[in-house]
Amino acid sequence: MLAALGAATGSAQQTHSRPWLNPELSAAVRAALALAQMTTDEKLSLLRSASANLAGPKRPTGLVQGIERLGIGPIRETNAGLGIAIPLEEDAPTSEDEAVALPAALATAASWDPELAYAAGAMIGEEARRKGFNVLLAGAANLARDPRNGRNFEYSGEDPLLSGTMVGAALRGIADRHVVSTMKHFALNDQETNRTLVDARIDRDALRESDLLAFEIANERGHPGAVMCAYNLVEGVHACENRWLLDRVLRRDWGFRGWVMSDWGAVHSTVPAALAGLDQESGVEWDSQVFYGAPLKVAFEQGALPTGRLDAMALHVLTALFAAGAVDHPPQPAPLDIDADSAVAERAAREGIVLLRNEGNLLPLTRSARRIAVIGGHADTGVMSGGGSSQVIPIGGPALRVPIPAQAAWMVFDPSPPLRAIAGKAPEAQVEYADGSNVTAAAESAQRADVAVVFATKWEAEGHDSDDLSLPHGQDALISAVAAANPRTIVVLETGNPVLMPWRDQVGAIIEAWYPGSRGGEAIADILFGDAEPGGRLPMTFPASPAQLPRPEILGRDNPWKHVFLVDYREGSAVGYRWFDARKLTPLYPFGFGLSYTHFRYADLRVEGGNGLGATFSVTNDGGRPGFAVPQLYVRAVAADGSMLQRLVAWRKLRLNPGETRTVTLTAEPRLVAYFDSERDGWRIDPGRYPVAVATAADSPVLQTTVWLNARTLPP
Ligand code: GLC
């Protein structure tokens, strides 16, 4: 009793003598109280992180020394959005560097289930805490403007509402584990080719209606503690010293209260960056000099950096730390809950798998199959993952780790072999594996089998974009040969982007499994054998050819490493399906597409307009199995550039049993119906009659009508 009292008194004393440690006070008040105690050097010490010479297991990607005398511990930052990614050094990672690998963010996005995104964020947030980190560099919200972008596997697709909603949920999951989350890469970091030299040009209103709207929604829903500004330039100014982005949009329009950190190596000045809104230089060793070290102090002492701005920079860091609970609940190193965390990863992989083709209901496989040929994709070893700073070293270590020196990365296979999972589903069957290196042998194996399952992979990594949309290493020929030998061929794609499928009409079934993470093999087998229903829907368009894209060639490839070059996003906010719709292009597979093992019927559409837009309709599972329906609500409305663009304005994911009918009401996010008008400083909906559709994909309306909407304005 006395001890407890002592502790209570102690904490009372503690918060009396150090009121900023009083959890009863708001984060803003606590930050102001702490700031008032700080010396100039202490304030400056919060404004840069180191990333070199951080050896040993669980080394942070960025480290900021704390202010011990004030009870504020060090800031230990780690990557990233797909799990805890320790910087890969030449030496083999230790088991302490291992973590549970989520599937690609595209897979979680393909689930269209924000609650799943939240669970995935909470899982990696907790793993960060248990590994001693209090900042997670996750929450990548860039739109997939180009389907060859090497980092699309870290992003949530081409649509601002889907991306913003899914990333926002993940950010909230991380923050609820008392870890500062980081929304990145702000903004228009939409290609990897010479990413530090891209000068992105786009009409500002169109930018608000697309990439920035994804960040805006993610920020509203996820309340990130930090925002990471990007490598590229926007309108000729580096993103990390772009006052319009960092001050006008992020602070004044969106009310962001956390701190702006740079990407690693993305800082190019001291005073211009500080005055534009950059609060913290990340990984100072990556820059040409330490801009936020001595030069920042000199700038302050000489008055070039006003006291108010220095205080604001430090205040943003402190506010985010208090708001996330990172001060009150410092990381407590503990073992990972591997089973529970792996179950989250498996669920995300399973619910993100998209069934693209299923001729003659070849899937789900029955357990009575006597002979199953499994071919290619290292399916006997594991499943593919993406390279770069988000690379997780999976629990138990990589099943396969191939160094890719040209890209300073590793191709890592997670130890979840589909072959083992498939054999486990059909213990009576004879399951034969051919690695695919010998096409004839693979075809002969397929010919002898009841069914052939061909795995095809395409590795993507940070720092590089794909040259094309094709599967590499002769996999197209392998698939064609196997399909010619056995029409009951199933293709399982493990890719980080859309791919072309010249063999599409020769095969029986196709599933897109993305990079499926630590339990990917099990998730794939669950779907193949019908132990789980395919509920994934494409978060990005699969083009039929690069010629259909706004830029058939990615710009800047042959650009010498020194010259800034322009990328003119002339498509404006017509990203992905909006572009295909506006130009009446037919993709290979459209945004929002995905088949089920059952069938759904939609009816009784009623729409309400006026000052909002609501749609009510019924969904019936009129097939023989349970299944996921993902009805999507689209509106066609005028964009800032005057074009009429189709936009996703709402959706619902629901699981229905055979014969079950559910009435669904969807309410449109109004900014998706509006256009942005910077002249009048906000969003506008003009009065008029708008086409509305309930759809099962961007190009597949199942219920259509029009609705009258009143004039409306919304704040920026
Ligand atoms: C990288 C990435 C960023 C990552 C950071 C730290 O270059 O752009 O996503 O969080 O540096 O590794």
Side-chain angles (χ1 to χ4, degrees):
M1 176 62 182
L2 281 178
L5 191 60
T9 311
S11 64
Q13 260 176 344
Q14 166 103 313
T15 50
H16 179 68
S17 61
R18 293 174 155 185
W20 55 91
L21 297 182
N22 178 356
E24 304 300 314
L25 300 175
S26 74
V29 167
R30 297 174 73 181
L33 288 168
L35 184 76
Q37 301 297 318
M38 291 166 69
T39 65
T40 298
D41 282 347
E42 287 170 334
K43 294 173 188 174
L44 290 165
S45 72
L46 291 178
L47 308 183
R48 62 184 183 278
S49 70
S51 67
N53 315 319
L54 299 167
K58 297 188 273 191
R59 54 197 167 281
T61 294
L63 177 65
V64 179
Q65 297 306 339
I67 305 169
E68 290 305 328
R69 72 181 186 86
L70 299 180
I72 294 168
I75 298 174
R76 293 172 51 81
E77 305 170 342
T78 190
N79 284 314
L82 307 183
I84 307 311
I86 303 300
L88 289 182
E89 310 302 341
E90 282 310 321
D91 57 350
T94 69
S95 59
E96 295 214 35
D97 294 331
E98 296 169 2
V100 171
L102 282 173
L106 278 176
T108 303
S111 77
W112 292 57
D113 181 353
E115 188 278 325
L116 176 58
Y118 175 89
M123 187 274 272
I124 59 177
E126 179 58 23
E127 291 214 345
R129 263 178 61 76
R130 294 188 182 203
K131 283 174 171 279
F133 300 109
N134 51 15
V135 175
L136 187 49
L137 305 168
N142 298 86
L143 285 191
R145 271 186 183 268
D146 192 304
R148 296 157 295 195
N149 180 341
R151 294 190 83 173
N152 280 341
F153 71 93
E154 296 182 61
Y155 302 154
S156 295
E158 68 191 30
D159 178 76
L161 181 63
L162 178 65
S163 178
T165 303
M166 300 302 279
V167 175
L171 288 166
R172 204 159 35 81
I174 294 166
D176 283 356
R177 306 311 308 147
H178 303 311
V179 171
V180 174
S181 60
T182 310
M183 189 165 73
K184 70 184 185 181
H185 307 90
F186 190 64
L188 274 172
N189 179 188
D190 293 348
Q191 72 174 57
E192 287 300 291
T193 302
N194 283 320
R195 62 184 179 175
T196 61
L197 299 171
V198 171
D199 181 357
R201 297 302 173 109
I202 185 173
D203 171 80
R204 284 186 174 183
D205 293 347
L207 179 54
R208 289 275 191 147
E209 295 170 353
S210 50
D211 292 64
L212 290 187
L213 184 51
F215 280 103
E216 183 175 9
I217 293 168
N219 177 55
E220 282 167 4
R221 296 175 187 221
H223 310 297
V227 164
M228 184 190 295
C229 48
Y231 285 120
N232 53 283
L233 296 83
V234 178
E235 298 178 323
V237 179
H238 279 103
C240 288
E241 51 192 64
N242 191 304
R243 186 188 294 266
W244 177 71
L245 276 177
L246 302 182
D247 182 56
R248 172 58 198 272
V249 175
L250 191 60
R251 296 269 178 222
R252 285 199 283 160
D253 287 350
W254 298 352
F256 176 63
R257 292 282 172 271
W259 86 86
V260 176
M261 66 165 77
S262 73
D263 202 338
W264 270 239
V267 182
H268 303 273
S269 71
T270 298
V271 174
L275 297 182
L278 178 67
D279 296 318
Q280 187 182 73
E281 178 183 12
S282 302
V284 294
E285 302 83 3
W286 286 49
D287 288 317
S288 56
Q289 65 170 86
V290 181
F291 292 101
Y292 276 27
L296 194 64
K297 181 168 184 177
V298 168
F300 173 68
E301 287 164 348
Q302 293 177 350
L305 177 67
T307 303
R309 178 64 190 125
L310 172 63
D311 285 352
M313 293 161 81
L315 199 68
H316 293 151
V317 176
L318 294 166
T319 302
L321 291 171
F322 285 120
V327 177
D328 304 327
H329 308 277
Q332 301 296 339
L336 303 182
D337 187 344
I338 293 171
D339 281 349
D341 294 354
S342 301
V344 173
E346 183 173 347
R347 181 186 157 206
R350 196 171 48 235
E351 295 198 15
I353 286 175
V354 184
L355 178 61
L356 295 174
R357 181 183 172 89
N358 190 21
E359 294 300 295
N361 292 325
L362 176 56
L363 290 177
L365 294 176
T366 67
R367 284 168 177 62
S368 62
R370 287 174 301 107
R371 296 177 73 125
I372 302 174
V374 175
I375 297 163
H378 292 287
D380 63 332
T381 303
V383 288
M384 178 160 275
S385 66
S389 58
S390 68
Q391 178 77 67
V392 174
I393 297 300
I395 301 296
L400 178 65
R401 186 168 176 247
V402 180
I404 312 285
Q407 300 189 8
W410 280 264
M411 182 190 294
V412 168
F413 278 75
D414 292 326
S416 174
L419 176 65
R420 182 183 65 199
I422 289 169
K425 294 286 185 183
E428 308 304 318
Q430 182 182 336
V431 182
E432 189 179 284
Y433 176 68
D435 68 6
S437 58
N438 179 327
V439 174
T440 306
E444 286 166 355
S445 170
Q447 197 157 32
R448 293 192 294 272
D450 298 325
V451 66
V453 186
V454 189
F455 286 80
T457 64
K458 182 170 186 178
W459 186 66
E460 309 270 1
E462 174 180 347
H464 291 269
D465 300 319
S466 288
D467 294 334
D468 51 42
L469 290 169
S470 298
L471 285 170
H473 314 313
Q475 295 178 100
D476 285 333
L478 171 64
I479 293 167
S480 294
V482 168
N486 186 338
R488 293 167 56 79
T489 289
I490 298 147
V491 177
V492 179
L493 297 170
E494 294 175 18
T495 65
N497 260 324
V499 290
L500 301 180
M501 306 177 202
W503 33 263
R504 174 173 68 165
D505 296 335
Q506 302 160 21
V507 302
I510 305 167
I511 69 170
E512 174 59 73
W514 315 103
Y515 297 147
S518 280
R519 288 259 181 90
E522 291 83 350
I524 290 167
D526 277 348
I527 295 291
L528 289 177
F529 284 86
D531 291 338
E533 303 296 322
R537 299 291 183 271
L538 292 181
M540 58 189 294
T541 304
F542 276 45
S545 156
Q548 294 182 320
L549 301 173
R551 282 163 298 284
E553 284 298 323
I554 284 194
L555 302 181
R557 276 195 193 291
D558 54 359
N559 175 52
W561 185 243
K562 284 284 172 283
H563 299 297
V564 168
F565 61 98
L566 296 189
V567 177
D568 176 8
Y569 290 115
R570 64 189 177 85
E571 71 275 20
S573 60
V575 182
Y577 67 88
R578 298 178 180 184
W579 170 266
F580 278 74
D581 174 73
R583 278 155 189 74
K584 304 284 176 276
L585 297 168
T586 304
L588 189 63
Y589 288 105
F591 173 83
F593 178 81
L595 299 175
S596 170
Y597 288 154
T598 184
H599 181 269
F600 298 97
R601 183 165 35 82
Y602 298 84
D604 311 327
L605 174 62
R606 295 189 316 283
V607 180
E608 283 182 32
N611 293 328
L613 198 167
T616 299
F617 53 93
S618 68
V619 189
T620 300
N621 177 346
D622 57 7
R625 297 175 59 99
F628 289 101
V630 186
Q632 302 146 40
L633 186 64
Y634 292 89
V635 172
R636 201 175 295 280
V638 71
D641 64 3
S643 60
M644 287 298 284
L645 289 183
Q646 179 196 30
R647 305 92 175 272
L648 175 73
V649 296
W651 78 87
R652 182 75 47 76
K653 180 166 192 174
L654 50 158
R655 191 177 192 282
L656 295 177
N657 291 317
E660 183 181 0
T661 294
R662 194 89 56 83
T663 298
V664 178
T665 294
L666 300 181
T667 303
E669 158 54 58
R671 285 166 293 188
L672 269 303
V673 184
Y675 60 91
F676 195 86
D677 182 347
S678 38
E679 296 297 313
R680 293 186 279 187
D681 199 18
W683 299 91
R684 303 189 68 77
I685 296 175
D686 289 342
R689 185 153 288 283
Y690 290 74
V692 177
V694 174
T696 55
D699 66 356
S700 311
V702 288
L703 301 170
Q704 297 185 79
T705 184
T706 63
V707 66
W708 176 267
L709 297 180
N710 296 335
R712 226 179 135 188
T713 60
L714 299 154

